[in-house]
Amino acid sequence: MRALLTILAVLATTVARADGCPPAPDHSVALAGLVAQIQSAGSETEARQISNRMWEYWADAPDEPAQDLLDRGMERRAAYDFLAAYQAFDRLVAYCPHFAEGYNQRAFVSYLRQDFPAALTDLDRALELSPDHIAALSGRALTLMGLRRLDEARRDMARALALNPWLPERGLAGPGGPLAPPGEDI
């Protein structure tokens, strides 16, 4: 019986990796260290440098084909070619369904296209795969704001700000901002 369970576990692993994409690199320890650093950063400049280091980890794809798709999608998005960017991220997600950044980037394109429901679906998946992905959390808050689901947006922004108090979007949750606690908004 034990041998049968071992065989079934190996088969399940093989099926899970049948997409051809290796597991995403595990940068959780390094990212946790960067979160601790950014929480104690003394300036916005210092926090931005730490945030850039976080992005290096988030954007580290599982293999070269995945990295090429990620880079191509980001280049196309930067050039405002949202269709080509979306298509690259769509291929990335199909190839590497366990890579959080593929979903996060596709969500960003959907957000820019104001397709908030599609963005929310991808952000939820990114956060399933990487629960403390600060950019996905703040993106989810912005998406929920676009959907006028302000209470949920406030919760997600508060969680993102707890991880990174220097987020550029922090003003949205400040006094007078649309995500300020009820009674402190406009």
Side-chain angles (χ1 to χ4, degrees), residues 63-107:
D63 64 8
E64 190 173 328
Q67 192 69 56
D68 288 343
L69 287 169
L70 180 64
D71 293 345
R72 185 175 329 127
M74 293 172 79
E75 288 168 8
R76 297 313 323 143
R77 186 192 64 235
Y80 300 96
D81 184 354
F82 297 145
L83 178 59
Y86 189 90
Q87 290 169 340
F89 297 137
D90 202 42
R91 287 192 301 274
L92 175 57
V93 165
Y95 174 59
C96 293
H98 302 292
F99 179 48
E101 196 56 35
Y103 294 96
N104 185 51
Q105 291 298 322
R106 187 170 70 178

Side-chain angles (χ1 to χ4, degrees), residues 10-182:
V10 169
L11 287 175
T13 302
T14 303
V15 170
R17 294 193 181 148
D19 53 32
C21 182
D26 182 6
H27 297 301
S28 57
V29 172
L31 283 165
L34 291 172
V35 167
Q37 288 178 33
I38 208 163
Q39 290 171 338
S40 64
S43 69
E44 189 163 355
T45 300
E46 181 184 353
R48 191 175 309 119
Q49 292 169 347
I50 297 166
S51 180
N52 290 342
R53 289 174 41 213
M54 287 178 180
W55 275 109
E56 290 173 16
Y57 288 115
W58 289 326
D60 183 19
D63 64 8
E64 190 173 328
Q67 192 69 56
D68 288 343
L69 287 169
L70 180 64
D71 293 345
R72 185 175 329 127
M74 293 172 79
E75 288 168 8
R76 297 313 323 143
R77 186 192 64 235
Y80 300 96
D81 184 354
F82 297 145
L83 178 59
Y86 189 90
Q87 290 169 340
F89 297 137
D90 202 42
R91 287 192 301 274
L92 175 57
V93 165
Y95 174 59
C96 293
H98 302 292
F99 179 48
E101 196 56 35
Y103 294 96
N104 185 51
Q105 291 298 322
R106 187 170 70 178
F108 188 26
V109 172
S110 293
Y111 176 84
L112 292 171
R113 295 168 68 187
Q114 296 187 355
D115 185 352
F116 301 129
L120 188 59
T121 298
D122 278 342
L123 290 164
D124 286 345
R125 181 66 179 136
L127 289 165
E128 283 176 29
L129 295 168
S130 183
D132 289 335
H133 193 306
I134 298 166
L137 274 170
S138 64
R140 190 172 192 280
L142 294 172
T143 299
L144 288 165
M145 194 170 90
L147 291 167
R148 308 222 188 289
R149 293 166 52 181
L150 296 183
D151 289 337
E152 293 171 87
R154 284 183 186 101
R155 282 191 297 272
D156 281 358
M157 187 59 74
R159 187 165 165 234
L161 288 169
L163 293 168
N164 178 2
W166 295 95
L167 281 175
E169 300 88 356
R170 68 187 179 273
L172 296 172
L179 298 182

